[in-house]
Amino acid sequence: MTSDTRALDDVRASLDAAAGLEPDAALPHLREAAERLTGLIDETMAEAVVRGGSSLRSAGMRAGLSENAVGPRLARTAALGAYANDDGRVTAAAVERARYDAETGAPAPAKPPAAPMRFKARRPTKGTS
């Protein structure tokens, strides 16, 4: 896990920054540590399924996640983000493709840019039908 040493150091730095502070002042540092740790867990799961040969289920179980929570989290990773489907999930078939691409040295598929976010009213407004 040498590539993750910096990420671990960043988590530790956020925790150290929270140490000894009043609760209100510590919260932003703890939130930052939690977000960094979540990202590290996600990236490590991605490496485990692509390079370590773990299944989505076993990687999620080792991380304390349900199998349904793994796919969307892997879709946010650098290793598997390009393999996510239109629903924003990485599937077992996508992992097999990523493994094949990693073994052959093929680049990840090109991901089309996300459509810009558009405002959608939850309810019709008065005056429009």
Side-chain angles (χ1 to χ4, degrees):
M1 255 179 57
T2 56
S3 62
D4 297 330
T5 302
R6 181 173 179 188
L8 284 171
D9 289 343
D10 291 343
V11 171
R12 285 185 191 104
S14 295
L15 292 172
D16 289 342
L21 295 178
E22 292 294 320
D24 283 348
L27 286 173
H29 299 289
L30 295 174
R31 168 59 29 226
E32 182 179 350
E35 289 173 3
R36 290 176 185 269
L37 186 57
T38 297
L40 181 58
I41 289 170
D42 295 349
E43 293 293 339
T44 303
M45 278 194 308
E47 288 299 313
V49 298
V50 173
R51 299 202 183 353
S54 293
S55 67
L56 294 174
R57 182 177 182 200
S58 67
M61 188 173 62
R62 288 187 181 115
L65 301 169
S66 70
E67 186 176 359
N68 289 336
V70 176
R73 290 179 65 152
L74 292 179
R76 299 185 304 221
T77 65
L80 290 170
Y83 297 93
N85 62 19
D86 292 338
D87 295 329
R89 302 180 66 82
V90 172
T91 63
V95 170
E96 289 301 317
R97 169 76 191 273
R99 286 177 181 160
Y100 177 80
D101 288 350
E103 288 175 9
T104 61
K111 187 86 169 165
M117 295 179 71
R118 301 277 184 223
F119 174 77
K120 282 188 181 179
R122 296 187 339 189
R123 300 183 197 130
T125 58
K126 292 182 181 180
T128 62
S129 348

